[in-house]
């Protein structure tokens, strides 16, 4: 597993063009028969189509090491965690992602590894999944809108993925990009955000062992509304940093501008660390509502992960760099 | 064929239904789990939108009277206005109690720290004298002219309320934009109407 290097060849060489086009034609024809399509995909599509789902199912079966990162916290109910979501690609209402989530096309899923990597690649999700043991981690999730959840994620450290492709010495930031598919994602037909959604981390944040790529939650594959098939989870930052449905990971020399910062630079900072002492102009951040619980509870510095991550920010004025 | 007075009565019952309906819808949502994972937030948003819609409907009553000339519209105007006020008070109490758990220190903090909360509170405070003076006794004793002047504050209150809504919107401004457009349309109608009648 360690010795494996993804071959440094262009995407067009991996999948011969005629095969790729054949598949497109096949899909177009199938679309003409709506009734057939409603059950056919799993049966008729080439093996690669649902390959990642099978690989993931195997990986989940292989047993996950349970490590508790949120001691004494009780889990948010699956129902709450899958019906109350911010995923503006589906619409701004909290219920939209669950209602329209089925529109997200995840088969096949490719991730583009770009920029300051020794080996750039366009890789199928199954090839990523094959490399790693999945680990279950229970993390607190704190949304900038002052609600929070406790979620058991299934995934692997982002650092493993980054080091696999070899970061160059110029890689100072990692930028992530979500899927762009306005035909299927109704929220993207409106220009409320400069689509596609982009987020970014400083390289040391990206390499931090707490930062993970999640491909499942609650012991199952990632539901569409929660960012299928793979998403980022950065537990000490506000939820919007944990970008969903990632299609590109880019190593950059210069600091990129995440979508929310571009939208409203006075409200959103690059770091977006959970910080009860810095109010957002829209929300007081000192307290939060734990979903499924009455009342409010105090918000913890770095969402309770200060011991692990505070040293990343020594010498930085967090009042200024929020 | 109904007599005009019974039509007026019927219309007033209809307005009563409009005022009560949000309560029934809300109760239905609550019982059926339609409020979702964050019921406090859902309740605050529901009552706030209800109040704003009713406020705009109230403002629309005077152009509706201009256009139809039917006295039933005017007979029900105070009622619809009071329903709007009622739902906005419920909106504020929902925020105080359900969202903030009557934590006055934090309520006070948020009123001063957060723009949108401040504008919301201001919008509601502006409506208080309007609601109080909506009883017959007031226009008769303070004079209709002063009363009419006072009640024009409904436009300012609605404007502040929609601004409050606009400010708390994160990305998709469609709904507050629609609210604002409706108010702008009603104001323009009112101004044109006033100009015509001055001549």
């Amino acid at each position: 597993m360690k010795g494996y290097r993804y071959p440094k060849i262009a995407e067009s060489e991996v999948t011969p063009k005629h095969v790729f086009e054949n598949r497109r034609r096949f899909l177009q024809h199938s679309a003409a028969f709506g009734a057939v399509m409603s059950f056919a995909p799993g049966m008729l599509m080439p093996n690669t189509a649902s390959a990642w789902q099978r690989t993931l199912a195997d990986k989940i079966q292989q047993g996950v090491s349970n490590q508790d990162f949120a001691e004494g916290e009780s889990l948010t109910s699956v129902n709450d965690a899958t019906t109350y979501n911010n995923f503006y690609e589906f619409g701004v209402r909290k219920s939209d992602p669950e209602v329209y989530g089925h529109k997200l096309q995840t088969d096949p899923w490719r991730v583009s590894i770009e920029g300051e990597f020794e080996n750039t690649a366009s890789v199928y999700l199954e090839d990523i999944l094959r490399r790693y043991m999945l680990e279950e981690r229970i993390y607190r999730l704190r949304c900038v809108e002052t609600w929070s959840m406790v979620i058991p994620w299934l995934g692997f450290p982002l650092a493993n993925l980054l080091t696999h492709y070899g970061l160059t010495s110029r890689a100072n930031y990692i930028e992530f990009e979500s899927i762009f598919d306005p035909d299927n994602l109704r929220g993207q037909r409106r220009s409320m955000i400069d689509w596609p959604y982009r987020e970014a981390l400083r390289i040391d944040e990206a390499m931090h062992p707490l930062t993970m790529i999640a491909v499942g939650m609650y012991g199952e594959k990632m539901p569409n509304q929660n960012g299928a098939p793979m998403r980022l989870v950065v537990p000490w930052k506000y939820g919007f940093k944990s970008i969903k449905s990632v299609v590109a990971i880019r190593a950059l020399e210069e600091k990129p501008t995440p979508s929310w910062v571009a939208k409203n630079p006075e409200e959103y900072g690059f770091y977006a660390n959970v910080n009860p002492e810095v109010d957002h102009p829209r929300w007081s951040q000192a307290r939060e509502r734990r979903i499924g619980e009455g009342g409010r509870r105090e918000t913890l510095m770095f969402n309770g992960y200060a011991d692990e991550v505070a040293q990343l920010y020594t010498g930085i004025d967090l009042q200024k760099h929020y | 064929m109904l007599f005009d007075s019974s039509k007026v009565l019927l219309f007033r019952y209809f307005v009563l239904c409009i005022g009560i309906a949000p309560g029934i819808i809300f109760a239905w949502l609550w019982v059926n789990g339609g409020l979702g994972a964050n019921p406090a937030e859902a309740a605050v948003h529901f009552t706030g939108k209800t109040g704003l819609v009713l406020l705009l409907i109230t403002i629309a009553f005077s152009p509706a009277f201009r256009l139809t000339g039917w006295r039933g519209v005017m007979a029900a105007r105070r009622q619809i206005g009071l329903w709007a006020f009622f739902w906005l008070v419920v909106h504020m109490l929902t925020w105080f109690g359900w969202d903030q758990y009557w934590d006055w220190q934090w309520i006070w903090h948020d009123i001063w720290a957060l723009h949108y909360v401040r504008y919301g509170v201001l919008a509601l405070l502006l409506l208080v004298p309007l609601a109080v003076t909506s009883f017959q006794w007031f226009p008769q004793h303070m004079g209709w002219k002063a009363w009419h002047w006072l009640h024009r504050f409904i436009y300012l209150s609605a404007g502040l309320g929609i601004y409050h809504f606009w400010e708390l919107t994160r990305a998709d401004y469609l709904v507050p934009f629609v609210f604002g457009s409706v108010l702008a349309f009603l104001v323009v109608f009112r101004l044109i109407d006033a100009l015509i009648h001055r001549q």
Side-chain angles (χ1 to χ4, degrees), chain B residues 96-117:
Chain B
F96 280 3
W98 204 346
D99 194 275
Q100 300 286 323
Y101 273 72
W102 305 110
D103 188 332
W104 293 106
Q105 190 200 328
W106 278 105
I107 290 169
W108 195 243
H109 170 271
D110 275 8
I111 289 173
W112 291 107
L114 307 179
H115 267 244
Y116 77 90
V117 179

Side-chain angles (χ1 to χ4, degrees), chain B residues 44-67:
Chain B
V44 172
H45 289 175
F46 180 90
T47 51
K49 274 184 201 150
T50 297
L52 267 184
V53 168
L54 290 177
L55 204 58
L56 290 174
I57 292 176
T58 305
I59 293 173
F61 264 45
S62 113
F65 177 65
R66 290 282 187 219
L67 292 174

Side-chain angles (χ1 to χ4, degrees), chain B residues 27-157:
Chain B
W28 190 85
L29 285 174
W30 196 354
V31 170
N32 292 285
L35 298 180
N38 195 346
E41 181 191 66
V44 172
H45 289 175
F46 180 90
T47 51
K49 274 184 201 150
T50 297
L52 267 184
V53 168
L54 290 177
L55 204 58
L56 290 174
I57 292 176
T58 305
I59 293 173
F61 264 45
S62 113
F65 177 65
R66 290 282 187 219
L67 292 174
T68 64
W70 184 47
R71 71 185 180 88
V73 175
M74 289 326 248
R77 186 168 71 163
R78 179 179 67 182
Q79 195 200 166
I80 190 77
L82 284 172
W83 277 118
F85 181 70
F86 169 81
W87 280 108
L88 290 169
V89 169
V90 171
H91 171 59
M92 190 185 70
L93 292 177
T94 311
W95 184 70
F96 280 3
W98 204 346
D99 194 275
Q100 300 286 323
Y101 273 72
W102 305 110
D103 188 332
W104 293 106
Q105 190 200 328
W106 278 105
I107 290 169
W108 195 243
H109 170 271
D110 275 8
I111 289 173
W112 291 107
L114 307 179
H115 267 244
Y116 77 90
V117 179
R118 219 178 313 159
Y119 289 114
V121 170
L122 192 60
L124 187 56
L125 285 179
L126 273 175
L127 286 181
V128 172
L130 277 65
V132 169
T133 59
S134 68
F135 296 94
Q136 280 294 328
W137 187 88
F138 281 93
Q140 280 160 11
H141 286 79
M142 69 194 283
W144 280 97
K145 209 176 164 187
W147 188 90
H148 272 129
W149 185 86
L150 177 68
H151 279 247
R152 278 186 198 133
F153 275 101
I154 192 172
Y155 293 99
L156 185 57
S157 176

